[in-house]
Amino acid sequence: MSNNLVVVGAQWGDEGKGKIVDLLCAGFDIVARYQGGHNAGHTVWIGEKRFVLHLIPSGILHPGVTCVIGNGVVVDPQAFLSELEELHRHQVDITPERLRISDRAHLILPYHRAMEAVSERLRGDRKVGTTMRGIGPAYEDKVGRRGIRAGDLQYPEALRDRIHHNVAMVNLLLEANGEPTFSPEAVFHETLVLGEKIVSHIEDAGAYLNRAIGQGKRVLFEGAQGTLLDLDHGTYPFVTSSSAVAAGASVGTGVPPSRLGNAIGVLKAYATRVGEGPFPTELSDPTGELLRGRGGEYGASTGRPRRCGWFDAVALRYAVEINGFSSLALMKLDVLDGLDQIKICTSYELRGRRIERFPFEIRELAACHPIYESHPGWVSSTAGISQYEELPAGARAYVERLSELVECEIGMVSTGPDRHQLALGPGTGLRPYFLNAL
């Protein structure tokens, strides 16, 4: 077993990665977030306390674990400070030694949110359905080589010059669309004031991580969103703006691929999606409403209701292939308790022919109709069961059929939101990682 591990969402995000990372932290020294922004909400329950973390890795809730926000993340200074204040209120240790930000991480500034609002409005019917938090425009500035990085906060004069230049360009777009413009000096001063509060957390995170790995410390790499929202491999253009797949952990932290270790995928026992874009197994009926209600399927960051549907094995096979998962963690099995019939999408029908592969072309995916196989539900509750053998026979049969269809073992089954509401599955890939958590 490799010392390090990458945790990746295997669907369209919101799979429950926060709980898995929280559980696994007991066996790791460092948790490193490698992409995304504060649009990602990781919910962790500790007893009756509910923590929703957006930027800061879930490992911060474990004393002795160091957390790193990698260079692949875009950081809103105000959102970061708000999260720090909330953790401080719960008496969580958030010293710079425990919480580090890469000096290469790009910043989200106020004008990014304004740009995103204009961009989505101009798209009309083709809108992506973003969270309007400025994340996409911040990544656009990064790729456009005009971004402002966390390390720039240490050089005020250069920072002022770059902000003035960027705001001048942004104002041209805003003026052309009848929107209020920004004062470049006001943006600079706001950024400088916020920056003074976080600069002690900023360092060369790639060097820190590689040095720690060389010293034998174990690193858990935490992704946000999910495989099907990956910029390159997801349902483009209805995707996020970063590399959510396992390979993104290397680019997003500065740790070479040879040191990443294994990758595990987190998935739900059904499927959900937020925002626009094709979703072959979506249920716009009472069953979809039932899954949303039972599963609490509302965005942790935005509160938006999630679209719900049956499990899509075609999409999952693709995710397993792209990420090279060694094992899977199946979440929210208990949401399916009491259903008479449970369906699994095993393939698609596209213009009269059956296909087994996840289509590249967005119009083809939108034209796909799911081909289902039905499974009988189970009457007894799975909630809180911690031994796989004690799950109802129907539930075990369902889990094992999913594993067979997606061609990857399911090493853990979650039966509720609490830390210890889980059962280790028939697979062995996750067992060593969970020994310290059980």
Side-chain angles (χ1 to χ4, degrees):
M1 183 183 67
S2 171
N3 279 340
N4 304 321
L5 184 67
V6 186
V7 177
V8 181
Q11 294 160 309
W12 278 281
D14 309 309
E15 300 95 347
K17 296 179 292 296
K19 174 176 175 175
I20 297 303
V21 171
D22 174 62
L23 280 164
L24 291 171
C25 278
F28 290 85
D29 304 293
I30 300 167
V31 178
R33 167 86 178 273
Y34 63 84
Q35 48 80 222
H38 63 303
N39 56 341
H42 287 179
T43 304
V44 178
W45 286 88
I46 302 178
E48 296 299 315
K49 278 188 178 181
R50 178 176 180 261
F51 294 86
V52 181
L53 299 166
H54 304 278
L55 273 171
I56 299 173
S58 311
I60 201 70
L61 302 175
H62 289 258
V65 174
T66 299
C67 291
V68 174
I69 296 174
N71 57 273
V73 180
V74 287
V75 178
D76 182 322
Q78 185 61 66
F80 177 77
L81 290 170
S82 295
E83 206 161 317
L84 282 188
E85 289 170 10
E86 180 67 12
L87 289 169
H88 183 72
R89 190 171 66 83
H90 288 287
Q91 299 180 321
V92 176
D93 177 14
I94 46 174
T95 59
E97 290 73 28
R98 281 205 68 212
L99 180 56
R100 303 160 189 253
I101 302 173
S102 170
D103 52 7
R104 292 166 172 83
H106 283 247
L107 299 181
I108 300 172
L109 298 181
Y111 54 80
H112 289 127
R113 290 186 288 275
M115 290 171 65
E116 187 164 26
V118 169
S119 176
E120 279 287 90
R121 178 163 59 81
L122 292 176
R123 285 177 179 269
D125 293 341
R126 296 185 178 185
K127 66 180 180 179
V128 176
T130 71
T131 57
M132 298 292 183
R133 299 192 175 193
I135 290 161
Y139 277 114
E140 287 179 36
D141 276 3
K142 176 179 179 176
V143 176
R145 292 167 291 186
R146 56 182 174 270
I148 292 171
R149 302 189 289 181
D152 294 333
L153 295 171
Q154 301 170 45
Y155 304 94
E157 288 309 311
L159 179 66
R160 171 187 272 117
D161 180 65
R162 299 187 72 176
I163 287 178
H164 274 249
H165 176 75
N166 286 359
V167 170
M169 290 195 296
V170 169
N171 282 345
L172 291 175
L173 172 68
L174 297 177
E175 285 174 357
N177 288 279
E179 297 291 335
T181 58
F182 287 88
S183 159
E185 193 64 16
V187 174
F188 165 69
H189 280 292
E190 179 184 343
T191 304
L192 198 62
V193 169
L194 293 173
E196 288 172 352
K197 298 178 182 178
I198 68 173
V199 72
S200 61
H201 293 273
I202 296 169
E203 68 170 279
D204 185 340
Y208 165 73
L209 288 169
N210 281 299
R211 185 168 60 249
I213 292 170
Q215 294 168 351
K217 292 186 177 179
R218 302 184 67 195
V219 181
L220 182 63
F221 298 92
E222 176 184 27
Q225 288 89 36
T227 298
L228 302 178
L229 293 178
D230 182 87
L231 180 60
D232 290 287
H233 303 289
T235 52
Y236 189 90
F238 301 102
V239 292
T240 193
S241 302
S242 56
S243 297
V245 295
S250 182
V251 177
T253 60
V255 174
S258 59
R259 298 181 119 180
L260 292 182
N262 291 327
I264 64 167
V266 185
L267 63 155
K268 286 176 183 169
Y270 49 99
T272 66
R273 175 164 199 167
V274 171
E276 306 297 322
F279 182 10
T281 65
E282 183 172 11
L283 295 170
S284 301
D285 63 9
T287 301
E289 291 292 336
L290 179 69
L291 293 176
R292 182 180 298 114
R294 282 191 183 179
E297 298 297 351
Y298 297 90
S301 291
T302 64
R304 290 190 296 178
R306 297 176 186 140
R307 301 155 64 190
C308 298
W310 294 120
F311 189 92
D312 188 336
V314 182
L316 256 295
R317 281 194 297 270
Y318 172 73
V320 169
E321 179 182 286
I322 291 294
N323 292 285
F325 292 136
S326 59
S327 191
L328 298 169
L330 185 71
M331 313 300 287
K332 295 192 173 183
L333 181 66
D334 53 303
V335 172
L336 302 180
D337 289 354
L339 294 177
D340 292 333
Q341 290 287 319
I342 301 171
K343 294 183 179 181
I344 305 171
C345 172
T346 58
S347 56
Y348 299 147
E349 185 273 321
L350 176 60
R351 301 186 187 94
R353 61 188 178 94
R354 186 180 185 125
I355 64 171
E356 308 286 340
R357 293 278 302 172
F358 194 70
F360 148 78
E361 221 301 311
I362 199 73
R363 285 170 286 268
E364 288 200 346
L365 184 61
C368 284
H369 298 284
I371 297 174
Y372 289 118
E373 63 179 35
S374 291
H375 291 256
W378 48 91
V379 177
S380 54
S381 172
T382 64
I385 291 178
S386 58
Q387 298 295 323
Y388 182 79
E389 296 74 18
E390 294 177 7
L391 290 171
R396 294 198 308 273
Y398 179 71
V399 171
E400 287 154 23
R401 179 57 176 156
L402 295 186
S403 177
E404 180 182 25
L405 286 168
V406 305
E407 301 172 7
C408 186
E409 69 167 36
I410 292 177
M412 196 276 299
V413 177
S414 176
T415 57
D418 194 66
R419 268 182 176 173
H420 299 293
Q421 290 180 310
L422 63 93
L424 292 179
T428 59
L430 284 177
R431 193 172 296 273
Y433 294 107
F434 278 97
L435 288 179
N436 289 320
L438 301 175

